[in-house]
Amino acid sequence: EESLQMWDLNKRLEAYLARVKFLEEENEVLRAEIQSAKGSPAGESWRAKYEEELRVLRDALDRAFREKCTAELARDNLYEEVQQVKSRCQKAQAARDEAKKQLSLSRKELEEERRAQIWLKERAVQLEKEVEALLEVHEEEKAGLDQEIASFSQSLESFRCAPVAFQPVEVEDYSKRLSEIWKGAVETYKTEVSQLEGSLCQAKENLWKAVEDNQQSQLQLQHLEKDLAGLKARKEMLEESLARQWQEQRGEAEKFQLAMEALEQEKQTLRVQIAQVLEDRQQLMHLKMSLSLEVATYRTLLEAESTRLQMPAG
């Protein structure tokens, strides 16, 4: 274990020495470049180049910020459109609920009309039965009256056979009474028949009205069913358009998110590059200052040496 630790330390020491050697070589190269830059007027070009890079980076940063603002504005617009589509869907849902309510009411009215129609049919059958019963009663009364007339004619024959007991006054009274009874029965029968015919006509009119109302209710029900089918189709179209818009919005949001991430990465890269440029510039400034101090030191030493050499001659 100790030998492994020593081997690791030796490797780290070798890497450190190699790094120091590499840095010394880079330092020598930088010194040579600085000397060549001092000897040539290319130093200003380096500064101009760095300033141009900084300006380009600032412009790119401004463009990224403007694109970000544009993306946020587009996102807000899409949110407003989604809210409008939601409100339209809510209105369509309310209209569909209202159509369902109207359809249920129409169905109830149709059921009531059907019940009324059934009741009218039963009432018409009942009235027909009553008319038949009244006709039977009328036939029976007519037969009874015929029997009474026959018996009366037989009594007249008996009166003819027995002329001694014939009393014309009583016969006239009896005939008058019989005619009055017959007239009253006929008038009663006519009145009942007219009442039955009126009630039958009224029942037929009610039946026709019920049939017409039923037809109108069926037509209205068909219209409501058509409206409901149209509303369903419109709802499906709105749902499909909403889903499509949601997908498009999601895709655009993902694109915007990717663009924002790319811009953020580019921003971080620009920051790193700007920091690197500033650091290089700071290092150049420090190197320039150190070179200036070194030149000043050499100049002082040369002046001192020249002074020292001139002193004995004087």
Side-chain angles (χ1 to χ4, degrees), residues 143-290:
L145 289 173
D146 291 333
Q147 290 178 1
E148 288 180 359
I149 290 168
S151 64
F152 180 69
S153 63
Q154 289 177 1
S155 64
L156 286 176
E157 291 292 333
S158 64
F159 283 141
R160 286 177 184 176
C161 294
V164 179
F166 178 72
Q167 295 178 359
V169 178
E170 293 180 358
V171 172
E172 289 179 358
D173 292 337
Y174 185 75
S175 63
K176 288 180 180 179
R177 289 178 183 176
L178 184 61
S179 62
E180 289 177 357
I181 291 169
W182 176 257
K183 288 180 181 179
V186 170
E187 292 294 331
T188 305
Y189 174 72
K190 288 180 179 179
T191 305
E192 290 179 356
V193 169
S194 63
Q195 289 179 358
L196 288 173
E197 287 178 354
S199 61
L200 184 60
C201 292
Q202 187 68 30
K204 287 182 179 179
E205 289 179 358
N206 293 328
L207 183 61
W208 281 109
K209 288 182 180 179
V211 171
E212 290 178 357
D213 293 336
N214 189 9
Q215 291 177 357
Q216 291 179 1
S217 299
Q218 288 180 356
L219 290 174
Q220 188 176 3
L221 181 62
Q222 290 177 0
H223 288 301
L224 289 174
E225 288 177 353
K226 288 180 181 179
D227 294 336
L228 182 61
L231 289 173
K232 286 182 179 179
R234 186 177 178 184
K235 180 190 173 185
E236 290 177 357
M237 290 175 63
L238 289 173
E239 287 178 353
E240 289 177 359
S241 63
L242 181 62
R244 187 169 59 254
Q245 288 180 1
W246 271 109
Q247 290 178 359
E248 291 177 357
Q249 184 183 5
R250 186 177 295 172
E252 290 179 357
E254 290 177 356
K255 290 180 181 178
F256 288 146
Q257 186 67 28
L258 292 174
M260 290 295 294
E261 291 178 356
L263 290 173
E264 190 67 28
Q265 291 178 0
E266 188 176 358
K267 182 179 177 182
Q268 295 294 332
T269 305
L270 291 173
R271 284 183 179 177
V272 172
Q273 291 179 0
I274 290 169
Q276 187 68 32
V277 169
L278 292 174
E279 186 177 359
D280 293 339
R281 186 176 179 183
Q282 191 71 25
Q283 289 179 359
L284 288 173
M285 292 295 292
H286 286 299
L287 187 59
K288 183 179 179 181
M289 290 175 65
S290 62

Side-chain angles (χ1 to χ4, degrees), residues 117-164:
Q117 185 179 2
I118 292 169
W119 181 80
L120 288 173
K121 287 181 179 179
E122 291 177 355
R123 183 63 178 168
V125 172
Q126 187 178 0
L127 290 173
E128 288 177 357
K129 289 180 180 179
E130 290 178 358
V131 169
E132 290 176 357
L134 289 173
L135 290 174
E136 290 177 358
V137 171
H138 176 66
E139 292 293 334
E140 290 177 358
E141 289 179 354
K142 186 178 179 182
L145 289 173
D146 291 333
Q147 290 178 1
E148 288 180 359
I149 290 168
S151 64
F152 180 69
S153 63
Q154 289 177 1
S155 64
L156 286 176
E157 291 292 333
S158 64
F159 283 141
R160 286 177 184 176
C161 294
V164 179

